[in-house]
Amino acid sequence: MSIYSYDIALAQVWQGALVSPGFLIHDSLLFEGVDERQIALALDYGKQACKRLDFQYIALINSDNLPIADLREIGLQWQDHVRLRLGDARPEDALLGFRFGQTVS
C-alpha cells in the first residue's frame, strides 16, 4: 500500500506541472496480500482522487480478487466504473484478440 500512497501523492504533484501523464495505472499485483477492506478503501480513494485532481485512475483487477462485499459495504458502485472486461473463453474477449501463453504448433 505504500506504493499506492506514493503514486497518489505523485498524482497530486502533477497538478502543478505543465505536462503530466494524466493517468495512473495499477495492476492487481499491487494489491497482492492486502486486506480486502483496504483494497476497497484504496479503490474508493482512487475514485475520489481522480475527481479532485483531474486524472484517470486505471486499476487492472482479476474479477475473482475483487472485494465485492467490502465495496458494497462502503457504497462504491464498482460496476459503474468498469470500462473493459477481458476473458479467456473466446479469442475476441482476450487482450488484442489473442490468447497469451498459448503455444503455437
Side-chain angles (χ1 to χ4, degrees), residues 10-74:
L10 281 178
Q12 217 165 1
V13 171
W14 294 341
Q15 284 300 99
L18 294 175
V19 178
S20 73
F23 64 91
L24 178 60
I25 300 175
H26 285 143
D27 186 68
S28 59
L29 282 176
L30 181 77
F31 300 114
E32 185 70 32
V34 176
D35 179 70
E36 289 185 350
R37 179 122 174 104
Q38 270 191 305
I39 295 170
L41 291 170
L43 292 173
D44 187 51
Y45 187 79
K47 182 189 83 139
Q48 293 173 28
C50 285
K51 287 183 177 181
R52 190 177 71 251
L53 303 172
D54 192 31
F55 71 96
Q56 184 178 17
Y57 179 58
I58 302 168
L60 308 168
I61 301 178
N62 296 332
S63 58
D64 56 344
N65 293 337
L66 199 58
I68 295 171
D70 294 302
L71 292 169
R72 190 178 303 123
E73 186 179 312
I74 64 172

Side-chain angles (χ1 to χ4, degrees), residues 72-84:
R72 190 178 303 123
E73 186 179 312
I74 64 172
L76 179 58
Q77 301 296 321
W78 64 272
Q79 302 93 330
D80 297 343
H81 303 284
V82 174
R83 296 297 175 250
L84 177 64

